Amino acid sequence: MRLFTEAPAQRGLSLATVSRFRQHAVLEVAAYARTVVHVATDRLRGLPPPVAVFIWSRLLIWATAIYAWVWFVPRPANPPNSSDLGYATEIWARGDAGWFLSIAQHGYQRNGGAVFYPLYPLAVGLLGRVFGGYYVTAGIVVSLACCAAAFVLLYKLALPRLGADGARRAVLYVALFPMSLFLQAVYSESLYLVCCVGAFLFAERRRWLAAGIVTGLAMLTRLAGLALFVPILLLAWRSPDRRQALLKLLVAPAVAGLYPLWLQLQLHAPRAAFANEAGWGRHISPAGPFGGLWHGFLKAWSGVDLLVTSGSGNLQAAAHNLEYFAFVVLFLWLGVEAWRRFGAPYGLFVLGSLAIALSAPTVGYPLLSMPRFCLPLFPAFLALAAIATTARRDRTILVVSSFFLAVAVVEWSVGQWVS
């Protein structure tokens, strides 16, 4: 490997020779990678498509994360948990995972943690006690189980709309989305995703009580779960048994109301989940989602100016703000496409979810975490699968998405901020 780091003259080789050697090495690595993919595909060929995608995508992301942790200088974002299984699991406890783990072990305190909704830490806490205090491992297991279920349900939901190939590609686009690493981290993304897909699937099959319960569980997982209630109501309104459907969906706000009730009993602060957002640098924009969109645009534009013209200053902040705005634009377009192709409920879920996030911008980074917030917006991936009907479009999406996923996994592994 020193051949790649020493000057050609030191090795007695010409630049042309070194260039040919590098090209040969790249081709060898690419050939080996293709062999590994083909072997994995053959081994998983007998499994249902969403299960196969789940297995190889999670293993690939996990292997990449461990490789990056070992190869680069690790900078842990959280102090190591001596009671867990070492870096192979600790690597998935970055950033906000510390809050989920703290709530899972000790419950809610008067420390601003109420912005993290209770369903995920409750599940992690229960399983962590079963595991004898291995809470990080419990969080990973919960996330992976919900991820697998979400892929299977998404495939079933997409099948009648996109066919087998389109349904497989929709699942694949979610699995290789740049922020899909959060689907196995100690975060609530997987749980929220399975609740959202499940609510739509139950509603499409007119199982309204189940749809209401799952919608309520989504609202116990994330504040953005409020955006799920409206499209499910719309599906119920269009149902032939409208009255019964709407009545059964009333279970959703009843389930969601358990959280402020619990905060009142424990902290005597039923509005803590909303009031504490200010402590995280977020504020409600007077202009609603248009305020966040405008400030995000201004930050993105200044980021372009900084990156292109000056080349100095806080380039990382400029790149982040530009990235966040790009994701908003992309998913606004996909939300409209989902509305046009699959109906108003699907488009409303995407656009309503974006509106909630845009209505509470963050100081300095108005669209902070927007790429991660886009991950559970599954109708956007259905729309993407419907658009990418040619091999070239499909290949372009997979290459671009995989590249940024790899970058995000490496950043995550070495403890840098990822969405």
Side-chain angles (χ1 to χ4, degrees), residues 49-50 53 58 150-159 161-177 180 183 193 197 342 375 377-388 394 397-398 401:
V53 170
R58 297 311 98 190
F151 284 6
V152 172
L153 295 181
L154 180 58
Y155 185 81
K156 291 182 178 181
L157 185 64
L159 199 57
R161 294 165 178 79
L162 300 172
D165 181 65
R168 180 193 60 81
R169 286 187 289 107
V171 174
L172 186 58
Y173 295 159
V174 175
L176 296 181
F177 184 65
S180 68
L183 295 178
L193 176 61
V197 179
F342 309 116
L375 174 60
L377 306 185
F378 70 91
F381 297 99
L382 297 179
L384 197 60
I387 293 168
D394 178 58
I397 292 170
L398 293 179
S401 189

Side-chain angles (χ1 to χ4, degrees), residues 267-287:
L267 302 178
H268 302 291
R271 296 180 63 253
F274 302 97
N276 285 336
E277 286 285 2
W280 293 86
R282 293 191 179 274
H283 63 280
I284 302 300
S285 171

